[in-house]
Amino acid sequence: MNDNESSRLREIAHNLGERVKELNCLYGITRLVERGNPSLDTIMQGVVDLIPPAWQYPEVTCACIRLKDGRYKTAGFKTTRWKQMEDIIVNEAVAGTLEVYYLKDMPASDEGPFLKEERNLIHVVAERLGRIIEHRLAESRLESLYVEEKQLRERVQAEMQRRIDFTRNLIHELKTPLTSLMATSQLLYEEETNRKLGKLARYVWEGANSLNTRIDELHDVIKGEIGKLKLEVKPIDLADLLTSVVNETQALAGQHDVVLRLQIAGPLPPVRADAARVRQVVLNLLNNAFKYAAEGGRVDIRGTARRNFVKVEVRDQGPGIALSEQERLFEPGYQVAHHAEAVAGLGIGLALCKLLVELHGGKIWVKSQPGKGSSFFFTLPAEAGGVVPS
C-alpha cells in the first residue's frame, strides 16, 4: 500500500470517527429525554455536556444554551471569537440560542475552524431542543389545565351539594306549616256549617294547595338541573293518559269558560315514559292554555303517531307570543312580558315541562303568532316493537 492510499484510509477513518461522535451526541440526547422523567433543566444541562465530545476538537470546545428562563453551560465555559450559533425555535418563535465556542484558534475549515458537518449537527440539535421544549410546555399546560379542571369540578360539586342542602332545608321549612295549613283548612271546609266561612276555608285550602304544587315544581327543576331527578319509565298507553287528563280538567276548563277538546289521530303506539311525569307535563300545558285562552274560546289537545315517536299538541286561541319571546319561554323564571302582571306564578312550569320531556328523550317547542294563539308540541319515543301506524 503506497503513501497516498494510507493517507486516504486515515482520512476515511477520521471522518467516520467524527460521524460516530455526532451520532453518539444525538443518541445521547434521545436517552436523556427517555430516561425516567427528567426536568427540563436536567435535559438542557445534559445536552450541553454532550456537545464538546461531538466536535472535532473536544479538548478546546465549550458550549452554552441560553433561554429566556435559564442558562446552561459546560464546565470552564468562556466566550471567544471562534463561535458557532443556532437559534432554538419554540412554537415558531426564537426562544433562545445554542452556542459552541473553541477556546483557541484552530486550523481553518469550512466555517472558520468549524466543519460543515458541525454546522449541520448544531442545527439538528437546536431543532430537537425546540421540540423538547415545546413538548414540555404542552405537558406543563395540560397539567395546569387538569389541576384547574379538578379544582373547578370540586367547587361545582361543593356548590351543588350546598344547593341540594339549602333546597332540602327550604322545602322542609315551607312544607311543614303548609301541610298543617292544608289539612286544617280542608277539615274546616268540610265541617263548617256557615256557608261564608266554609267558602273562605276552601279558598285557603286552594291557595295552600297551589303553593304546595309550586314548591314541588321548584324542587323538581332544581333536582333536574343537578341530575337528581329520576324517572320510572315503562310502556304506557298515551291515548288513555290523555283521555284521563282531559276528563280530569274539564271542570277547570269550565271555570275559565273554555271548551276543551281531545283528538287522537288514529291508534297511538305505546310510549316509554313515566306516566306521572307525562301527566305533569300535559297538566302544565293545559293550565297555561286555560289562562291565556280567550273567554269562550277553545283549547285542543291532539295526539299523533309518527314513525318512532308520538307527538302531542296543546293549542289555545289566546293572544299568541312574539317570536322574540319564544326563545326564552322554557327558561326558569321567564314569563311573557304582556302576561307577567296578570298571571301569578314562578315562571317555572314550562321549564319543568322541557326538563321532563328531554329526560324522556323527547323534544318540546312552540309555534305562535301574536293574535293567532299558540301551539305547544312535545314528543315521546315509541316503545320498541310497538305497533306504529303507517
Side-chain angles (χ1 to χ4, degrees):
M1 182 181 295
N2 57 41
D3 291 342
N4 287 337
E5 290 175 337
S6 296
S7 176
R8 179 61 179 162
L9 286 174
R10 284 194 297 272
E11 182 182 353
I12 292 173
H14 173 75
N15 290 338
L16 286 175
E18 292 302 310
R19 303 298 80 75
V20 168
K21 292 195 298 182
E22 294 163 5
L23 290 174
N24 285 337
C25 176
L26 297 176
Y27 176 67
I29 294 173
T30 300
R31 291 198 62 188
L32 266 174
V33 175
E34 294 178 350
R35 187 186 303 146
N37 187 30
S39 67
L40 190 59
D41 287 339
T42 299
I43 293 173
M44 295 297 109
Q45 187 59 52
V47 171
V48 162
D49 293 335
L50 287 169
I51 295 293
W55 259 246
Q56 187 178 13
Y57 306 107
E59 66 279 1
V60 295
T61 304
C62 61
C64 174
I65 294 175
R66 300 179 193 271
L67 300 175
K68 293 178 181 179
D69 298 325
R71 182 180 176 188
Y72 312 88
K73 57 186 180 180
T74 53
F77 172 80
K78 186 172 68 172
T79 60
T80 68
R81 60 190 178 91
W82 305 290
K83 171 184 177 182
Q84 254 186 340
M85 186 182 78
E86 187 77 20
D87 288 337
I88 299 172
I89 307 299
V90 177
N91 295 324
E92 302 182 355
V94 176
T97 57
L98 171 59
E99 303 169 10
V100 179
Y101 295 88
Y102 279 157
L103 297 175
K104 64 179 183 179
D105 194 11
M106 303 304 290
S109 188
D110 303 305
E111 187 177 312
F114 298 101
L115 301 172
K116 66 178 181 180
E117 288 83 3
E118 291 169 340
R119 163 56 59 191
N120 293 336
L121 179 58
I122 193 174
H123 177 74
V124 171
V125 172
E127 275 192 340
R128 188 164 296 186
L129 287 173
R131 290 196 296 271
I132 291 170
I133 295 171
E134 284 181 1
H135 183 69
R136 287 307 177 95
L137 289 175
E139 284 184 340
S140 177
R141 179 58 179 159
L142 283 175
E143 289 176 3
S144 176
L145 289 173
Y146 172 76
V147 171
E148 290 177 10
E149 187 273 337
K150 183 180 179 182
Q151 292 174 343
L152 179 60
R153 185 172 65 251
E154 289 173 350
R155 288 199 298 270
V156 169
Q157 289 173 344
E159 180 59 33
M160 286 173 62
Q161 189 58 51
R162 283 194 294 270
R163 187 169 181 178
I164 292 170
D165 293 340
F166 173 78
T167 303
R168 186 183 295 116
N169 292 335
L170 175 63
I171 290 174
H172 175 74
E173 290 296 323
L174 293 173
K175 284 269 193 177
T176 299
L178 192 58
T179 301
S180 176
L181 180 61
M182 290 172 63
T184 303
S185 59
Q186 184 176 15
L187 180 63
L188 183 61
Y189 171 68
E190 292 172 352
E191 296 190 358
E192 179 58 58
T193 57
N194 185 298
R195 187 175 180 181
K196 185 175 180 180
L197 291 178
K199 190 175 182 180
L200 291 174
R202 189 187 70 180
Y203 289 157
V204 171
W205 180 85
E206 289 176 349
N209 188 58
S210 177
L211 179 57
N212 188 57
T213 300
R214 298 290 85 76
I215 293 171
D216 287 339
E217 288 179 345
L218 178 61
H219 193 204
D220 285 341
V221 169
I222 293 173
K223 286 195 296 184
E225 288 179 346
I226 61 178
K228 298 292 185 180
L229 187 60
K230 306 300 180 184
L231 301 178
E232 295 182 9
V233 176
K234 59 183 179 181
I236 65 170
D237 187 324
L238 188 59
D240 285 350
L241 187 146
L242 293 177
T243 301
S244 173
V245 172
V246 167
N247 291 336
E248 178 184 329
T249 55
Q250 285 290 0
L252 182 60
Q255 292 177 18
H256 287 85
D257 196 19
V258 169
V259 176
L260 175 60
R261 297 194 317 179
L262 171 64
Q263 294 177 291
I264 303 296
L268 302 182
V271 296
R272 287 194 57 79
D274 183 323
R277 294 303 188 177
V278 174
R279 177 181 291 271
Q280 194 173 0
V281 171
V282 177
L283 284 172
N284 260 320
L285 295 178
L286 285 177
N287 282 332
N288 274 351
F290 295 158
K291 292 174 184 177
Y292 298 136
E295 290 186 4
R298 190 176 74 236
V299 170
D300 295 307
I301 180 167
R302 178 181 176 87
T304 309
R306 291 292 182 262
R307 183 171 298 276
N308 56 359
F309 62 89
V310 176
K311 182 173 71 173
V312 177
E313 175 187 4
V314 176
R315 177 171 178 77
D316 65 59
Q317 296 179 324
I321 305 165
L323 184 61
S324 60
E325 295 181 308
Q326 291 177 27
E327 297 178 356
R328 298 191 58 194
L329 274 180
F330 298 98
E331 295 179 7
Y334 183 78
Q335 292 180 315
V336 179
H338 56 278
H339 290 309
E341 294 182 3
V343 180
L346 298 174
I348 59 175
L350 290 178
L352 180 58
C353 289
K354 182 176 186 293
L355 173 67
L356 293 175
V357 169
E358 291 180 349
L359 279 177
H360 281 88
K363 297 180 180 178
I364 187 168
W365 68 97
V366 62
K367 289 184 178 180
S368 182
Q369 292 183 30
K372 295 186 179 182
S374 304
S375 285
F376 285 84
F377 303 87
F378 72 89
T379 62
L380 294 172
E383 168 73 355
V387 179
V388 182
S390 57

